[in-house]
Amino acid sequence: MAVIAAPLTAYRRANQWLWRHGLWRILFVPIVLSVVLLLLALLSAFLGATWVSGQIETIPFVDWELNAYTRGILWTLIFGLMMALFIVSFRGLVMVAYGPFLDRALDRISEIQPDFVTPHSDIPTSFWHSLKRPLLIFLSTVPLALFLLVGGLLLGLIPILGAVLSFLVIVPLQILIGAFAFVDPYYDRSGLTLKQSVTRFCGAWRESLVFGVIGLLISLIPLIGWFLSPTYSALAGFALAETHATDA
């Protein structure tokens, strides 16, 4: 039960910090940026799918003309693929936007909750450093997430067994990759290297998986889920990582 209780408690604390103590004001800019990223992704996927589906009909040496029904299916498939690429990269990319604001959020958490175990290290808190670690994670995890996405599509070609393996292996790994970006800021501010952070994260992979599933469920809330999920997860990541620090 502790595997489920710890992530739930982390999100409950995040809810209190966000609304009761007004941390949404500190995170207002990245919240807006996450909405802008989503709108740009939808626009890019729409225009990209329209362009690619149009170009397919103009391939040299191929004499074909798609009817409206087939063209609609092709457009939907291309649009879905482009949105899938965005989804696997969104959680890492949005943390680049949140990075410069998390130090202020952590300071505020320490003020409103004195018993919160604040990371202590000599690492700089400059604007560049607050961007560097999330950017490094984004560049490291997105290729891995894309590899898993392709792997899942290939597994889907295997009847029944492929779908089962994809659900049991690919989906949890994708969730863990997305969750790591939200837990690492605490580890980073504790002075852990990226390798040490991954080791600490993997040591509590069950809690981290539940943490990622909760964030995923929040993102499914119509309209508001896409910016609520990273906002809650960024703060809940502090709370969950703090329990790992106190248990270490």
Side-chain angles (χ1 to χ4, degrees), residues 77-247:
L77 290 174
I78 297 172
F79 179 84
L81 178 60
M82 290 186 172
M83 284 305 299
L85 295 176
F86 168 74
I87 290 171
V88 299
S89 60
F90 175 78
R91 293 173 75 86
L93 182 60
V94 77
M95 282 306 290
V96 178
Y98 275 73
F101 301 87
L102 292 181
D103 285 317
R104 289 180 56 200
L106 187 59
D107 290 341
R108 178 61 180 149
I109 290 171
S110 301
E111 293 174 3
I112 61 181
Q113 189 171 337
D115 60 338
F116 184 83
V117 180
T118 306
H120 295 287
S121 69
D122 297 327
I123 63 172
T125 56
S126 64
F127 180 81
W128 165 241
H129 182 85
S130 65
L131 284 177
K132 184 171 63 175
R133 181 75 163 242
L135 187 59
L136 177 61
I137 292 175
F138 170 73
L139 295 175
S140 302
T141 57
V142 168
L144 179 58
L146 293 177
F147 174 78
L148 290 174
L149 177 63
V150 174
L153 294 175
L154 294 176
L155 283 175
L157 299 177
I158 305 174
I160 303 177
L161 179 60
V164 173
L165 289 175
S166 180
F167 179 77
L168 294 179
V169 178
I170 302 298
V171 173
L173 288 177
Q174 288 281 22
I175 293 174
L176 285 170
I177 290 173
F180 176 70
F182 294 101
V183 180
D184 178 72
Y186 186 97
Y187 298 149
D188 179 26
R189 287 156 179 80
S190 299
L192 272 63
T193 65
L194 186 57
K195 181 179 179 180
Q196 292 170 331
S197 180
V198 171
T199 301
R200 179 74 62 84
F201 179 82
C202 292
W205 70 270
R206 295 178 182 84
E207 290 182 357
S208 302
L209 181 60
V210 175
F211 172 85
V213 169
I214 296 173
L216 178 62
L217 292 176
I218 295 175
S219 70
L220 297 178
I221 300 174
L223 299 179
I224 62 175
W226 275 97
F227 66 86
L228 275 183
S229 178
T231 305
Y232 269 91
S233 296
L235 297 179
F238 278 146
L240 184 64
E242 185 220 10
T243 64
H244 296 166
T246 54
D247 294 340

Side-chain angles (χ1 to χ4, degrees), residues 1-17:
M1 290 299 295
V3 171
I4 300 176
L8 286 176
T9 300
Y11 275 95
R12 179 180 58 80
R13 294 169 71 186
N15 184 70
Q16 294 175 346
W17 296 337

Side-chain angles (χ1 to χ4, degrees), residues 44-58:
S44 299
F46 177 85
L47 295 177
T50 302
W51 183 83
V52 172
S53 60
Q55 291 299 308
I56 288 177
E57 295 189 69
T58 63

